[in-house]
Amino acid sequence: MSGWLKTIFDFGRGKVNETGEAIASDPRVAMAAMEQSIRDADHKQAQARSALTDVMAQDRLALKAVAELEAKMEEYEGYAVAADAKGDEPLLNEVVDKIAEIETDLVAKRAMQEGISEQVKNLKRTVAETERNIKSMKTEIKTVKATEYAQQAAIEASAKYSGASSDTSKAAERLRRIKENQAHRQAK
């Protein structure tokens, strides 16, 4: 009993697989799937551009922080020169300690800013490349659709033409039979 159930189950799986392949090979389904993929890619690309904008804003903030620290460093270097000129050793030591603190902070901020700048360059390159790929795919899809429509039109025109010739041949056959019937009646 389980043998025939397995056979029925296998038959069902085979039909589902066959139906899936038939659907996947349908040009309309394939085009709809391609168009959806492009819409999804466009959506992801918009998210990538938004993320790039955020990273670029972080880069600007990091640049500003570095510039502020550099200005602060120059200011304290001026204080150090003034304290040295006065001969005020305790003030000079205090200013030198502050300069060392600013320099440590400046090195860390520069490293962070350089890393962010590198990320911005990489993201810009990736976004631009993806943009070109999406544009290329959109062009390809338009070409494929145009080709598909042209082929469908040719098939329909061919079907109409062959339908017209078969209609003509049917009409000619009817006409021949009518003439035969008329000739047969006249002969009687």
mmCIF file with all atom_site columns, all heavy atoms in Angstrom, residues 157-173:
data_model
loop_
_atom_site.group_PDB
_atom_site.id
_atom_site.type_symbol
_atom_site.label_atom_id
_atom_site.label_alt_id
_atom_site.label_comp_id
_atom_site.label_asym_id
_atom_site.label_entity_id
_atom_site.label_seq_id
_atom_site.pdbx_PDB_ins_code
_atom_site.Cartn_x
_atom_site.Cartn_y
_atom_site.Cartn_z
_atom_site.occupancy
_atom_site.B_iso_or_equiv
_atom_site.pdbx_formal_charge
_atom_site.auth_seq_id
_atom_site.auth_comp_id
_atom_site.auth_asym_id
_atom_site.auth_atom_id
_atom_site.pdbx_PDB_model_num
ATOM 1   N N   . ALA A 1 157 ? 1.429   37.919 -36.560 1.00 0.00 ? 157 ALA A N   1
ATOM 2   C CA  . ALA A 1 157 ? 1.247   38.234 -37.980 1.00 0.00 ? 157 ALA A CA  1
ATOM 3   C C   . ALA A 1 157 ? 1.308   36.957 -38.806 1.00 0.00 ? 157 ALA A C   1
ATOM 4   O O   . ALA A 1 157 ? 0.512   36.762 -39.727 1.00 0.00 ? 157 ALA A O   1
ATOM 5   C CB  . ALA A 1 157 ? 2.322   39.215 -38.442 1.00 0.00 ? 157 ALA A CB  1
ATOM 6   N N   . SER A 1 158 ? 2.229   36.096 -38.459 1.00 0.00 ? 158 SER A N   1
ATOM 7   C CA  . SER A 1 158 ? 2.352   34.821 -39.170 1.00 0.00 ? 158 SER A CA  1
ATOM 8   C C   . SER A 1 158 ? 1.093   33.985 -38.976 1.00 0.00 ? 158 SER A C   1
ATOM 9   O O   . SER A 1 158 ? 0.590   33.381 -39.926 1.00 0.00 ? 158 SER A O   1
ATOM 10  C CB  . SER A 1 158 ? 3.586   34.067 -38.659 1.00 0.00 ? 158 SER A CB  1
ATOM 11  O OG  . SER A 1 158 ? 3.646   32.795 -39.218 1.00 0.00 ? 158 SER A OG  1
ATOM 12  N N   . ALA A 1 159 ? 0.588   33.964 -37.747 1.00 0.00 ? 159 ALA A N   1
ATOM 13  C CA  . ALA A 1 159 ? -0.626  33.193 -37.469 1.00 0.00 ? 159 ALA A CA  1
ATOM 14  C C   . ALA A 1 159 ? -1.813  33.764 -38.239 1.00 0.00 ? 159 ALA A C   1
ATOM 15  O O   . ALA A 1 159 ? -2.614  33.019 -38.794 1.00 0.00 ? 159 ALA A O   1
ATOM 16  C CB  . ALA A 1 159 ? -0.914  33.186 -35.971 1.00 0.00 ? 159 ALA A CB  1
ATOM 17  N N   . LYS A 1 160 ? -1.899  35.075 -38.310 1.00 0.00 ? 160 LYS A N   1
ATOM 18  C CA  . LYS A 1 160 ? -3.000  35.694 -39.054 1.00 0.00 ? 160 LYS A CA  1
ATOM 19  C C   . LYS A 1 160 ? -2.874  35.406 -40.533 1.00 0.00 ? 160 LYS A C   1
ATOM 20  O O   . LYS A 1 160 ? -3.853  35.131 -41.209 1.00 0.00 ? 160 LYS A O   1
ATOM 21  C CB  . LYS A 1 160 ? -3.031  37.205 -38.794 1.00 0.00 ? 160 LYS A CB  1
ATOM 22  C CG  . LYS A 1 160 ? -3.566  37.567 -37.435 1.00 0.00 ? 160 LYS A CG  1
ATOM 23  C CD  . LYS A 1 160 ? -3.619  39.061 -37.241 1.00 0.00 ? 160 LYS A CD  1
ATOM 24  C CE  . LYS A 1 160 ? -4.124  39.369 -35.840 1.00 0.00 ? 160 LYS A CE  1
ATOM 25  N NZ  . LYS A 1 160 ? -4.139  40.789 -35.566 1.00 0.00 ? 160 LYS A NZ  1
ATOM 26  N N   . TYR A 1 161 ? -1.625  35.479 -41.027 1.00 0.00 ? 161 TYR A N   1
ATOM 27  C CA  . TYR A 1 161 ? -1.414  35.217 -42.446 1.00 0.00 ? 161 TYR A CA  1
ATOM 28  C C   . TYR A 1 161 ? -1.753  33.768 -42.779 1.00 0.00 ? 161 TYR A C   1
ATOM 29  O O   . TYR A 1 161 ? -2.451  33.488 -43.729 1.00 0.00 ? 161 TYR A O   1
ATOM 30  C CB  . TYR A 1 161 ? 0.028   35.538 -42.853 1.00 0.00 ? 161 TYR A CB  1
ATOM 31  C CG  . TYR A 1 161 ? 0.299   35.210 -44.293 1.00 0.00 ? 161 TYR A CG  1
ATOM 32  C CD1 . TYR A 1 161 ? -0.215  36.012 -45.305 1.00 0.00 ? 161 TYR A CD1 1
ATOM 33  C CD2 . TYR A 1 161 ? 1.033   34.080 -44.632 1.00 0.00 ? 161 TYR A CD2 1
ATOM 34  C CE1 . TYR A 1 161 ? 0.007   35.700 -46.631 1.00 0.00 ? 161 TYR A CE1 1
ATOM 35  C CE2 . TYR A 1 161 ? 1.261   33.769 -45.958 1.00 0.00 ? 161 TYR A CE2 1
ATOM 36  C CZ  . TYR A 1 161 ? 0.752   34.578 -46.957 1.00 0.00 ? 161 TYR A CZ  1
ATOM 37  O OH  . TYR A 1 161 ? 0.966   34.271 -48.264 1.00 0.00 ? 161 TYR A OH  1
ATOM 38  N N   . SER A 1 162 ? -1.247  32.843 -41.942 1.00 0.00 ? 162 SER A N   1
ATOM 39  C CA  . SER A 1 162 ? -1.543  31.440 -42.216 1.00 0.00 ? 162 SER A CA  1
ATOM 40  C C   . SER A 1 162 ? -3.028  31.181 -41.999 1.00 0.00 ? 162 SER A C   1
ATOM 41  O O   . SER A 1 162 ? -3.623  30.392 -42.711 1.00 0.00 ? 162 SER A O   1
ATOM 42  C CB  . SER A 1 162 ? -0.697  30.513 -41.344 1.00 0.00 ? 162 SER A CB  1
ATOM 43  O OG  . SER A 1 162 ? -1.064  30.636 -39.991 1.00 0.00 ? 162 SER A OG  1
ATOM 44  N N   . GLY A 1 163 ? -3.629  31.880 -41.068 1.00 0.00 ? 163 GLY A N   1
ATOM 45  C CA  . GLY A 1 163 ? -5.067  31.755 -40.859 1.00 0.00 ? 163 GLY A CA  1
ATOM 46  C C   . GLY A 1 163 ? -5.824  32.284 -42.055 1.00 0.00 ? 163 GLY A C   1
ATOM 47  O O   . GLY A 1 163 ? -6.808  31.699 -42.503 1.00 0.00 ? 163 GLY A O   1
ATOM 48  N N   . ALA A 1 164 ? -5.345  33.373 -42.649 1.00 0.00 ? 164 ALA A N   1
ATOM 49  C CA  . ALA A 1 164 ? -5.997  33.948 -43.817 1.00 0.00 ? 164 ALA A CA  1
ATOM 50  C C   . ALA A 1 164 ? -5.868  33.002 -45.004 1.00 0.00 ? 164 ALA A C   1
ATOM 51  O O   . ALA A 1 164 ? -6.820  32.800 -45.754 1.00 0.00 ? 164 ALA A O   1
ATOM 52  C CB  . ALA A 1 164 ? -5.385  35.310 -44.159 1.00 0.00 ? 164 ALA A CB  1
ATOM 53  N N   . SER A 1 165 ? -4.701  32.405 -45.159 1.00 0.00 ? 165 SER A N   1
ATOM 54  C CA  . SER A 1 165 ? -4.538  31.512 -46.299 1.00 0.00 ? 165 SER A CA  1
ATOM 55  C C   . SER A 1 165 ? -5.379  30.254 -46.105 1.00 0.00 ? 165 SER A C   1
ATOM 56  O O   . SER A 1 165 ? -5.926  29.714 -47.058 1.00 0.00 ? 165 SER A O   1
ATOM 57  C CB  . SER A 1 165 ? -3.068  31.168 -46.530 1.00 0.00 ? 165 SER A CB  1
ATOM 58  O OG  . SER A 1 165 ? -2.605  30.300 -45.531 1.00 0.00 ? 165 SER A OG  1
ATOM 59  N N   . SER A 1 166 ? -5.503  29.782 -44.860 1.00 0.00 ? 166 SER A N   1
ATOM 60  C CA  . SER A 1 166 ? -6.343  28.600 -44.643 1.00 0.00 ? 166 SER A CA  1
ATOM 61  C C   . SER A 1 166 ? -7.809  28.974 -44.828 1.00 0.00 ? 166 SER A C   1
ATOM 62  O O   . SER A 1 166 ? -8.580  28.176 -45.350 1.00 0.00 ? 166 SER A O   1
ATOM 63  C CB  . SER A 1 166 ? -6.090  27.994 -43.266 1.00 0.00 ? 166 SER A CB  1
ATOM 64  O OG  . SER A 1 166 ? -6.632  28.781 -42.246 1.00 0.00 ? 166 SER A OG  1
ATOM 65  N N   . ASP A 1 167 ? -8.194  30.194 -44.420 1.00 0.00 ? 167 ASP A N   1
ATOM 66  C CA  . ASP A 1 167 ? -9.563  30.645 -44.666 1.00 0.00 ? 167 ASP A CA  1
ATOM 67  C C   . ASP A 1 167 ? -9.813  30.745 -46.175 1.00 0.00 ? 167 ASP A C   1
ATOM 68  O O   . ASP A 1 167 ? -10.881 30.373 -46.664 1.00 0.00 ? 167 ASP A O   1
ATOM 69  C CB  . ASP A 1 167 ? -9.810  32.017 -44.012 1.00 0.00 ? 167 ASP A CB  1
ATOM 70  C CG  . ASP A 1 167 ? -9.902  31.923 -42.494 1.00 0.00 ? 167 ASP A CG  1
ATOM 71  O OD1 . ASP A 1 167 ? -10.043 30.794 -41.966 1.00 0.00 ? 167 ASP A OD1 1
ATOM 72  O OD2 . ASP A 1 167 ? -9.826  32.984 -41.840 1.00 0.00 ? 167 ASP A OD2 1
ATOM 73  N N   . THR A 1 168 ? -8.830  31.248 -46.903 1.00 0.00 ? 168 THR A N   1
ATOM 74  C CA  . THR A 1 168 ? -8.960  31.370 -48.358 1.00 0.00 ? 168 THR A CA  1
ATOM 75  C C   . THR A 1 168 ? -9.076  29.998 -49.004 1.00 0.00 ? 168 THR A C   1
ATOM 76  O O   . THR A 1 168 ? -9.908  29.789 -49.902 1.00 0.00 ? 168 THR A O   1
ATOM 77  C CB  . THR A 1 168 ? -7.733  32.114 -48.937 1.00 0.00 ? 168 THR A CB  1
ATOM 78  O OG1 . THR A 1 168 ? -7.593  33.354 -48.277 1.00 0.00 ? 168 THR A OG1 1
ATOM 79  C CG2 . THR A 1 168 ? -7.866  32.343 -50.419 1.00 0.00 ? 168 THR A CG2 1
ATOM 80  N N   . SER A 1 169 ? -8.248  29.072 -48.524 1.00 0.00 ? 169 SER A N   1
ATOM 81  C CA  . SER A 1 169 ? -8.319  27.732 -49.114 1.00 0.00 ? 169 SER A CA  1
ATOM 82  C C   . SER A 1 169 ? -9.649  27.067 -48.772 1.00 0.00 ? 169 SER A C   1
ATOM 83  O O   . SER A 1 169 ? -10.216 26.342 -49.599 1.00 0.00 ? 169 SER A O   1
ATOM 84  C CB  . SER A 1 169 ? -7.141  26.871 -48.668 1.00 0.00 ? 169 SER A CB  1
ATOM 85  O OG  . SER A 1 169 ? -7.165  26.667 -47.287 1.00 0.00 ? 169 SER A OG  1
ATOM 86  N N   . LYS A 1 170 ? -10.188 27.318 -47.564 1.00 0.00 ? 170 LYS A N   1
ATOM 87  C CA  . LYS A 1 170 ? -11.510 26.773 -47.210 1.00 0.00 ? 170 LYS A CA  1
ATOM 88  C C   . LYS A 1 170 ? -12.585 27.355 -48.120 1.00 0.00 ? 170 LYS A C   1
ATOM 89  O O   . LYS A 1 170 ? -13.477 26.633 -48.598 1.00 0.00 ? 170 LYS A O   1
ATOM 90  C CB  . LYS A 1 170 ? -11.847 27.084 -45.748 1.00 0.00 ? 170 LYS A CB  1
ATOM 91  C CG  . LYS A 1 170 ? -11.087 26.251 -44.748 1.00 0.00 ? 170 LYS A CG  1
ATOM 92  C CD  . LYS A 1 170 ? -11.477 26.660 -43.335 1.00 0.00 ? 170 LYS A CD  1
ATOM 93  C CE  . LYS A 1 170 ? -10.594 26.005 -42.295 1.00 0.00 ? 170 LYS A CE  1
ATOM 94  N NZ  . LYS A 1 170 ? -10.884 26.500 -40.945 1.00 0.00 ? 170 LYS A NZ  1
ATOM 95  N N   . ALA A 1 171 ? -12.487 28.662 -48.345 1.00 0.00 ? 171 ALA A N   1
ATOM 96  C CA  . ALA A 1 171 ? -13.471 29.314 -49.215 1.00 0.00 ? 171 ALA A CA  1
ATOM 97  C C   . ALA A 1 171 ? -13.371 28.774 -50.639 1.00 0.00 ? 171 ALA A C   1
ATOM 98  O O   . ALA A 1 171 ? -14.389 28.522 -51.305 1.00 0.00 ? 171 ALA A O   1
ATOM 99  C CB  . ALA A 1 171 ? -13.264 30.829 -49.203 1.00 0.00 ? 171 ALA A CB  1
ATOM 100 N N   . ALA A 1 172 ? -12.144 28.587 -51.127 1.00 0.00 ? 172 ALA A N   1
ATOM 101 C CA  . ALA A 1 172 ? -11.947 28.052 -52.479 1.00 0.00 ? 172 ALA A CA  1
ATOM 102 C C   . ALA A 1 172 ? -12.505 26.635 -52.570 1.00 0.00 ? 172 ALA A C   1
ATOM 103 O O   . ALA A 1 172 ? -13.118 26.261 -53.591 1.00 0.00 ? 172 ALA A O   1
ATOM 104 C CB  . ALA A 1 172 ? -10.457 28.060 -52.835 1.00 0.00 ? 172 ALA A CB  1
ATOM 105 N N   . GLU A 1 173 ? -12.301 25.838 -51.525 1.00 0.00 ? 173 GLU A N   1
ATOM 106 C CA  . GLU A 1 173 ? -12.828 24.468 -51.497 1.00 0.00 ? 173 GLU A CA  1
ATOM 107 C C   . GLU A 1 173 ? -14.354 24.497 -51.537 1.00 0.00 ? 173 GLU A C   1
ATOM 108 O O   . GLU A 1 173 ? -14.988 23.731 -52.266 1.00 0.00 ? 173 GLU A O   1
ATOM 109 C CB  . GLU A 1 173 ? -12.323 23.751 -50.243 1.00 0.00 ? 173 GLU A CB  1
ATOM 110 C CG  . GLU A 1 173 ? -12.825 22.340 -50.079 1.00 0.00 ? 173 GLU A CG  1
ATOM 111 C CD  . GLU A 1 173 ? -12.378 21.392 -51.177 1.00 0.00 ? 173 GLU A CD  1
ATOM 112 O OE1 . GLU A 1 173 ? -11.327 21.635 -51.803 1.00 0.00 ? 173 GLU A OE1 1
ATOM 113 O OE2 . GLU A 1 173 ? -13.102 20.417 -51.431 1.00 0.00 ? 173 GLU A OE2 1
#
